[in-house]
Amino acid sequence: MAQPRTVVMGAGNILLKDEGVGIHVIRALKKDGALPPNVEVVDCGTAALDALQSLADVDKLIVVDAVRGGDEPGAIYRFSPEDIFEKRSESLSLHQLGLLEALKMAGMLGTVPKEIVIVGIQPEDVSPGLEPSPEIKRRIPEAVEVIKRLIQTEQGECKDGVLKRRKGRHVARV
């Protein structure tokens, strides 16, 4: 039996310090090596929709991005898109398409992976600059370990972290 295809996708803008943490984490993951052959690491930058369109045959997608969760800088969260999709109707612009909007559009097109996990990291500083802030840089190895655990778990098995309810949404802090 073939192993499920997993993609780890880093998202963000590396020109805005911590906003690019998703890219910095996947670079560290690649440098760490030792990934199974069924795992691909993708830098999507700010072009989430373009990247998602090529993931129709992916079983598991792990997205790494900066997320404002309201905790201290460097806090790491794990959640699924369903945990945070708004119930309200919102317009989907073709310009400046965010990750969640891109996931919604991919879902409408039937091109989303079977399982999607988002690993979010609370940014500290999103001002112009190529390097993440010291606190975010310090948390990158921990984020890499979280992703490696997620790669190894079967669908729905990831139980680590404390489940929180925020504004009607479930978010697990890891």
Side-chain angles (χ1 to χ4, degrees), residues 144-163:
V144 167
E145 292 305 314
V146 167
I147 292 165
K148 288 165 72 176
R149 284 196 313 266
L150 288 170
I151 289 170
Q152 294 171 351
T153 60
E154 295 295 323
Q155 187 171 358
E157 278 188 1
C158 191
K159 301 287 185 206
D160 62 348
V162 177
L163 194 62

Side-chain angles (χ1 to χ4, degrees), residues 57-89:
D57 61 340
V58 170
D59 298 295
K60 185 176 195 174
L61 173 64
I62 301 170
V63 179
V64 189
D65 199 0
V67 170
R68 292 196 188 273
D71 288 312
E72 75 281 359
I76 301 173
Y77 308 98
R78 174 187 49 81
F79 52 94
S80 71
E82 295 79 22
D83 292 330
I84 58 172
F85 277 151
E86 293 289 335
K87 300 274 184 220
R88 64 184 159 90
S89 174

Side-chain angles (χ1 to χ4, degrees), residues 94-109:
L94 294 178
H95 305 285
Q96 300 295 323
L97 202 60
L99 176 64
L100 292 177
E101 290 175 310
L103 286 170
K104 281 183 179 179
M105 289 182 79
M108 290 179 214
L109 298 171

Side-chain angles (χ1 to χ4, degrees), residues 46-59:
T46 58
L49 184 59
D50 293 341
L52 289 174
Q53 289 176 342
S54 64
L55 301 177
D57 61 340
V58 170
D59 298 295

Side-chain angles (χ1 to χ4, degrees), residues 18 21 24 74 131-142:
D18 298 346
V21 68
H24 294 294
E131 292 293 321
S133 64
E135 181 58 25
I136 300 305
K137 192 180 283 189
R138 188 181 71 76
R139 299 299 299 264
I140 287 174
E142 185 179 344

